């Protein structure tokens, strides 16, 4: 898989996981937002008001969140290369 495809895979996978997390926590009626939590970590704060305008920390947190997803895509890709004898179905499951 080429680097461009890995970046796209990292972005899509991160978006899917983030949307899944948002959906589950909305169904459970609990407040948990991945990017907001990361922004609080960047600000060294525990709470960000829910209805605030996007602050620089929120933007940086979003970029960091997706960058971590892209790094994971590259790590998974390099892990799969080390195990060439795997069944293609098992390989797809690990990448998913």
């Amino acid at each position: 898989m080429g680097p461009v495809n890995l970046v796209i895979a990292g972005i899509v996978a991160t978006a899917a996981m983030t949307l899944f997390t948002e959906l589950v926590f909305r169904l459970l009626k609990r407040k948990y937002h991945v990017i907001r939590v990361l922004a609080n970590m960047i600000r060294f704060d525990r709470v960000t008001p829910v209805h605030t305008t996007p602050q620089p920390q929120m933007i940086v947190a979003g970029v960091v969140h997706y960058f971590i997803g892209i790094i994971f895509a590259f790590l998974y890709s390099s892990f799969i290369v080390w195990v060439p004898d795997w069944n293609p179905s098992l390989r797809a499951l690990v990448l998913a």
Side-chain angles (χ1 to χ4, degrees):
M1 204 175 214
V4 173
N5 290 340
L6 286 173
V7 169
I8 292 170
I11 291 170
V12 170
T14 303
M17 289 186 296
T18 304
L19 290 173
F20 178 77
T21 304
E22 288 286 330
L23 177 66
V24 168
F25 277 92
R26 284 181 191 253
L27 289 174
L28 295 175
K29 296 181 180 175
R30 295 186 180 182
K31 293 182 181 179
Y32 180 80
H33 306 283
V34 176
I35 295 177
R36 189 176 306 278
V37 169
L38 187 55
N40 290 339
M41 291 171 61
I42 291 170
R43 289 181 355 171
F44 299 106
D45 195 2
R46 290 187 59 146
V47 179
T48 300
V50 175
H51 299 294
T52 58
T53 57
Q55 299 170 353
Q57 294 89 355
M58 291 289 282
I59 295 168
V60 170
V63 170
V64 167
H65 180 64
Y66 281 93
F67 184 70
I68 291 169
I70 292 168
I71 289 172
F72 269 96
F74 277 90
L75 290 174
Y76 278 127
S77 175
S78 64
F79 175 71
I80 291 299
V81 170
W82 286 2
V83 188
D85 297 337
W86 282 19
N87 180 339
S89 299
L90 183 60
R91 185 180 288 192
L93 183 64
V94 169
L95 283 175

